[in-house]
Amino acid sequence: MKILEGGLDNLNVKTAGIRNGKNGLALIVFDQVCKAEGVFTTNRMSAAPVQITRERIKNGIQAIVATSGNANCATGEQGLRDAESIAWKAAEELGIDEKNVAIASTGIIGEYLDTSLIKKQIEEGVKSLGKNSSKAAQAIMTTDTRPKELCMDFGRFKIAGIAKGSGMIHPHMATMLCFIVTDAEFEGGVLRKAVDETLNMVSVDNDMSTNDTVLLVSVGDKRVDGFAEALRIFLEEIAGMLIADGEGVNKLVEIRVVGAKNKGEARAAAHAIADSMLVKTSVFGNNANWGRVAAAVGYSGAEIDMERMKIWYGIGGKKILLYNGAAMEVDKEGIEDLMKKNDKIEIVVDLGLGDGEARAWSGDLSYEYVKINASYS
Amino acid sequence: MKILEGGLDNLNVKTAGIRNGKNGLALIVFDQVCKAEGVFTTNRMSAAPVQITRERIKNGIQAIVATSGNANCATGEQGLRDAESIAWKAAEELGIDEKNVAIASTGIIGEYLDTSLIKKQIEEGVKSLGKNSSKAAQAIMTTDTRPKELCMDFGRFKIAGIAKGSGMIHPHMATMLCFIVTDAEFEGGVLRKAVDETLNMVSVDNDMSTNDTVLLVSVGDKRVDGFAEALRIFLEEIAGMLIADGEGVNKLVEIRVVGAKNKGEARAAAHAIADSMLVKTSVFGNNANWGRVAAAVGYSGAEIDMERMKIWYGIGGKKILLYNGAAMEVDKEGIEDLMKKNDKIEIVVDLGLGDGEARAWSGDLSYEYVKINASYS
């Protein structure tokens, strides 16, 4: 596998990105109606564009219209009409069928869209369609500090995409948009499975967005082996990009739980560690506070045997055993020094009960997180 | 009901409180073996004292020994032996049966107890036994900024207690110790029910402690009506005290969910709002960001109908309808001003589906929270 510069520009798609202050618009347009699969927020307070796109992708997709700055959520009937009018406008400008236009939005909840601005942006975007992957990635940013685009070349086929994340990144992908295109054929269900192993194991805070949308579109018909695994690798990389640019995140925490009774319990334990505010703040403070990790595993619902459990912290290439049925004697200051010097921390927990394994990704919780979310409105 | 000064000193119990730096010891001693009930953490990573006390209270209780500064958790076999040796020492000094001594600890996880210090504190404590409720309340503090004691006089009977809380306060009472004494008789199960309605509906962060212990002891035999409701009122007051002194908490948030399909769903929705980091940070920023409340309800698991849901913020005596099936036009600056001037915010959600109701309590999430938990070790 090779990583290529240029994101979506490596595949046969046209893109555009427009931004007016905090209001951005991204367009991704395909030559024909393409097979698509989607994974959406499971939040019952789902935004208007989610409600609409969830139905539309069944028809196949010829264009994706994504807007940032306003989530168009909790906006009732008018929100649905606004979302439909955007899709309609894009279809008209592109000369395609409205039912093949997917829409997605991200931003503040509970305000009505400025549809006249968005319609102007659509006109402008359609005129500038071309190889603009990075502009499109920029257009969907909210509190993200950098655009996220990625292309992986697996030899026989490529997977490329743009994404935005930042706050509310939680199990089930809060305020995450991710649009993935490949020239390979894919089987139904492949996206759901890959998302469950990657994006759904990411936690910045504990909130789940109303707008999460991940779309996978095929622009080719290459029959290939190993697409599912390739997609998982691709989304794991995206997950890392989202965490690294999470609100106020300075350190990436990679969590691995092994030895759980089964996979479900491993996932529950990994999630609990990833979500723990006390673990996050201890990482921010360069504290290898493994007791908080143990406590999180203890309330995760996973079966544990305190005497069989082991906890390691992996820092700067060193793997330090901190708990082995009981607390270990360790060089606390040495570990604190190591944590200060490294911006990636690995936490490994072996429950010693079975062969259930899972991974999750998290970050530290900093003053900056509080600042961003106290003022965002 | 009247609130009396002096906490436990209003009942027939002897107390002592000793503190050496961050290591405190509280003693509560009864004239005879008393009927007791306990509610403990459901964290499977439960601390040694929890494992021991959970069994012991079945015998009835004549003394409670509580230590702060070290949780004696994740300490394996040695932790159990240490905890037992403390109970044994207290029994010896008091001339009572070891099996009637309850123990509880709070503090850092994964370090071994300084049992020689604690044994000295027990000797000192037993010598100073008397009307020392506030000293005992002080002795169990960790990151608490003030001791918590309370006595309520219900006429026919009294309920009094001391408590400590602060961080990790979450559903299922993380790092909370609460020792309650009454001169009324009580029915089995009354404590569990009252805790479920009060202490278990409190959230400072989302972590659950390994050491939570709530004990209810009867020193009298007054048969009274309404004890269950009195206990609920007592614990609701304690819950408010714990939140108000939660780590980095400046504002108290009281959450009320009505109109849920049933009580369980109302509790789930209230919990989700109470736990939401985004709701907490928005309160810190004086932002009536009801969209985050709606999102939390949406992922809580409770059934919702977006068109029937209503959300109010109650601030300074005013009840402001912010969402009524769709976003309402409101005076944002006026609301921000109100929030700045008030340190208690009420959030009311009506799901409009049934008669399920629940309450929960939360606080804001501030820089101070991050600071305390980044450095605590």
Side-chain angles (χ1 to χ4, degrees):
Chain A
M1 187 274 292
K2 250 187 357 203
I3 292 185
L4 306 180
E5 296 283 306
L8 289 170
D9 293 343
N10 294 288
L11 285 167
N12 183 29
V13 294
K14 291 199 188 97
T15 46
I18 310 289
R19 183 169 274 276
N20 303 91
K22 64 168 195 156
N23 295 104
L25 176 104
L27 288 177
I28 305 174
V29 182
F30 311 100
D31 281 349
Q32 58 198 23
V33 176
C34 299
K35 182 183 170 183
E37 198 169 307
V39 174
F40 302 93
T41 182
T42 57
N43 195 313
R44 291 182 181 180
M45 192 79 202
S46 62
V50 168
Q51 295 174 52
I52 289 172
T53 301
R54 196 159 19 206
E55 292 307 309
R56 290 228 175 135
I57 52 163
K58 296 169 190 165
N59 312 319
I61 287 301
Q62 193 162 359
I64 300 169
V65 183
T67 67
S68 65
N70 184 324
N72 192 14
C73 179
T75 44
E77 281 297 319
Q78 190 186 321
L80 285 169
R81 282 197 305 272
D82 288 348
E84 274 165 0
S85 77
I86 289 166
W88 173 85
K89 174 71 177 176
E92 192 189 51
E93 293 293 322
L94 291 165
I96 64 174
D97 193 328
E98 187 195 341
K99 77 173 196 299
N100 302 119
V101 178
I103 50 175
S105 295
T106 175
I108 191 156
I109 299 175
E111 292 190 0
Y112 297 101
L113 282 183
D114 182 350
T115 50
S116 63
L117 170 66
I118 294 171
K119 285 174 183 173
K120 266 184 233 152
Q121 289 179 321
I122 288 173
E123 289 171 13
E124 203 183 325
V126 169
K127 278 180 201 144
S128 65
L129 276 173
K131 295 283 183 197
N132 301 306
S133 177
S134 69
K135 275 190 190 164
Q138 234 148 5
I140 55 174
M141 288 164 63
T142 53
T143 54
D144 309 63
T145 67
R146 45 185 183 268
K148 289 153 199 86
E149 59 172 1
L150 180 66
C151 180
M152 286 184 170
D153 186 345
F154 292 89
R156 285 264 298 141
F157 64 98
K158 295 188 187 81
I159 303 177
I162 61 172
K164 64 93 38 196
S166 227
M168 261 187 155
I169 301 296
H170 182 61
H172 315 296
M173 314 173 311
T175 314
M176 170 191 305
L177 301 181
C178 181
F179 308 121
I180 312 156
V181 181
T182 181
D183 52 1
E185 270 197 337
F186 58 83
E187 305 270 313
V190 73
L191 180 64
R192 156 65 59 196
K193 198 163 173 300
V195 166
D196 273 349
E197 296 279 315
T198 55
L199 301 180
N200 276 348
M201 296 306 284
V202 157
S203 170
V204 172
D205 55 33
N206 304 326
D207 284 86
M208 186 206 294
S209 154
T210 50
N211 288 60
D212 305 320
T213 302
V214 180
L215 298 177
L216 170 65
V217 179
S218 172
V219 293
D221 54 3
K222 296 182 186 164
R223 290 175 176 252
V224 298
D225 286 332
F227 182 75
E229 176 61 9
L231 186 62
R232 195 193 60 72
I233 291 167
F234 181 86
L235 284 175
E236 191 176 308
E237 187 69 24
I238 294 276
M241 292 164 82
L242 293 175
I243 278 283
D245 193 30
E247 286 169 357
V249 169
N250 310 293
K251 285 182 197 277
L252 178 63
V253 182
E254 186 167 329
I255 296 142
R256 183 184 289 271
V257 174
V258 301
K261 224 176 137 193
N262 55 50
K263 188 164 185 67
E265 295 200 358
R267 284 175 67 91
H271 254 318
I273 300 165
D275 287 348
S276 164
M277 284 168 69
L278 289 175
V279 173
K280 285 178 209 285
T281 48
S282 67
V283 171
F284 177 60
N286 295 306
N287 241 309
N289 199 325
W290 59 268
R292 295 177 177 178
V293 174
V297 174
Y299 63 70
S300 70
E303 190 177 317
I304 64 165
D305 177 338
M306 285 192 278
E307 286 174 29
R308 289 205 208 173
M309 187 159 78
K310 293 179 188 177
I311 301 173
W312 295 263
Y313 271 47
I315 321 167
K318 290 193 182 163
K319 207 170 160 191
I320 305 153
L321 182 61
L322 294 160
Y323 178 84
N324 185 3
M328 305 286 289
E329 288 289 330
V330 291
D331 168 17
K332 282 193 177 179
E333 283 176 19
I335 295 171
E336 193 177 329
D337 263 7
L338 266 179
M339 285 183 75
K340 275 184 190 155
K341 285 177 195 143
N342 287 278
D343 55 9
K344 189 176 168 184
I345 309 295
E346 199 185 2
I347 298 176
V348 181
V349 179
D350 184 351
L351 296 179
L353 297 176
D355 56 10
E357 294 194 16
R359 288 200 292 163
W361 294 267
S362 174
D364 57 337
L365 174 61
S366 67
Y367 301 126
E368 197 60 21
Y369 174 86
V370 176
K371 189 174 173 186
I372 293 166
N373 286 295
S375 57
Y376 182 78
S377 186
Chain B
M1 187 274 292
K2 252 190 351 210
I3 290 184
L4 306 181
E5 297 283 307
L8 289 170
D9 293 343
N10 294 287
L11 286 166
N12 183 29
V13 295
K14 293 200 187 97
T15 46
I18 310 289
R19 181 170 278 276
N20 302 90
K22 64 169 195 156
N23 295 104
L25 175 104
L27 287 177
I28 305 174
V29 182
F30 311 101
D31 283 348
Q32 58 197 26
V33 176
C34 298
K35 181 182 171 185
E37 198 168 307
V39 174
F40 303 92
T41 182
T42 57
N43 195 313
R44 291 181 181 181
M45 191 79 201
S46 62
V50 168
Q51 295 174 51
I52 289 172
T53 301
R54 196 159 19 204
E55 291 308 309
R56 291 230 174 133
I57 53 163
K58 295 169 191 167
N59 312 320
I61 287 301
Q62 193 162 359
I64 299 169
V65 182
T67 67
S68 65
N70 184 324
N72 192 14
C73 179
T75 44
E77 281 297 318
Q78 190 185 322
L80 285 168
R81 283 196 304 272
D82 288 348
E84 273 165 0
S85 78
I86 289 167
W88 174 85
K89 175 70 176 173
E92 192 189 50
E93 293 293 322
L94 292 165
I96 64 174
D97 194 329
E98 187 195 339
K99 75 174 199 296
N100 302 121
V101 178
I103 50 175
S105 295
T106 175
I108 191 155
I109 299 175
E111 292 190 359
Y112 297 102
L113 282 183
D114 181 350
T115 50
S116 63
L117 171 66
I118 294 170
K119 285 174 183 174
K120 266 185 235 153
Q121 290 178 321
I122 289 172
E123 289 171 13
E124 202 182 326
V126 169
K127 279 181 201 143
S128 65
L129 276 173
K131 296 283 185 198
N132 301 307
S133 177
S134 69
K135 276 190 189 161
Q138 236 148 3
I140 54 174
M141 288 165 63
T142 53
T143 53
D144 308 64
T145 66
R146 46 184 183 271
K148 290 153 198 87
E149 59 172 359
L150 180 66
C151 180
M152 285 185 171
D153 186 345
F154 292 90
R156 284 265 298 141
F157 63 99
K158 296 188 187 82
I159 303 177
I162 61 172
K164 63 96 33 200
S166 227
M168 261 189 153
I169 302 296
H170 182 60
H172 316 295
M173 315 171 312
T175 314
M176 170 191 303
L177 301 180
C178 182
F179 308 120
I180 312 156
V181 182
T182 181
D183 52 0
E185 272 197 335
F186 58 82
E187 306 270 313
V190 73
L191 180 64
R192 155 65 59 197
K193 198 164 173 299
V195 166
D196 273 349
E197 296 278 315
T198 55
L199 301 180
N200 276 348
M201 297 304 285
V202 156
S203 170
V204 171
D205 53 35
N206 304 327
D207 284 87
M208 186 205 292
S209 154
T210 50
N211 289 58
D212 305 321
T213 302
V214 180
L215 298 177
L216 171 64
V217 179
S218 172
V219 293
D221 55 2
K222 295 180 186 166
R223 289 174 178 252
V224 299
D225 287 332
F227 181 76
E229 175 62 9
L231 186 62
R232 195 193 61 70
I233 291 166
F234 181 87
L235 284 175
E236 191 176 308
E237 189 68 24
I238 294 277
M241 291 163 82
L242 294 175
I243 278 282
D245 194 29
E247 286 169 356
V249 169
N250 310 291
K251 285 181 197 275
L252 179 64
V253 182
E254 186 168 330
I255 296 143
R256 184 184 288 271
V257 174
V258 301
K261 225 176 137 195
N262 55 50
K263 186 159 187 70
E265 295 200 357
R267 282 175 69 91
H271 254 318
I273 300 165
D275 287 348
S276 163
M277 285 168 69
L278 290 175
V279 173
K280 286 178 208 285
T281 48
S282 67
V283 171
F284 177 61
N286 295 305
N287 241 311
N289 199 326
W290 60 268
R292 294 176 177 178
V293 173
V297 174
Y299 63 69
S300 70
E303 190 177 317
I304 63 165
D305 177 338
M306 287 192 277
E307 285 174 29
R308 289 205 208 173
M309 186 159 76
K310 292 179 189 177
I311 301 173
W312 295 263
Y313 271 47
I315 321 166
K318 289 191 183 165
K319 207 170 161 190
I320 306 153
L321 182 60
L322 294 161
Y323 177 84
N324 185 2
M328 305 284 289
E329 289 287 333
V330 290
D331 168 18
K332 282 193 179 181
E333 283 176 19
I335 295 172
E336 193 177 328
D337 263 6
L338 266 178
M339 284 183 75
K340 275 184 190 155
K341 285 178 195 142
N342 287 278
D343 55 9
K344 189 175 167 185
I345 309 294
E346 199 185 2
I347 298 176
V348 182
V349 179
D350 184 351
L351 296 179
L353 298 174
D355 55 11
E357 292 194 17
R359 286 200 293 163
W361 294 267
S362 174
D364 57 338
L365 174 61
S366 67
Y367 301 125
E368 197 58 21
Y369 174 86
V370 177
K371 189 174 174 186
I372 293 166
N373 285 295
S375 56
Y376 182 77
S377 187

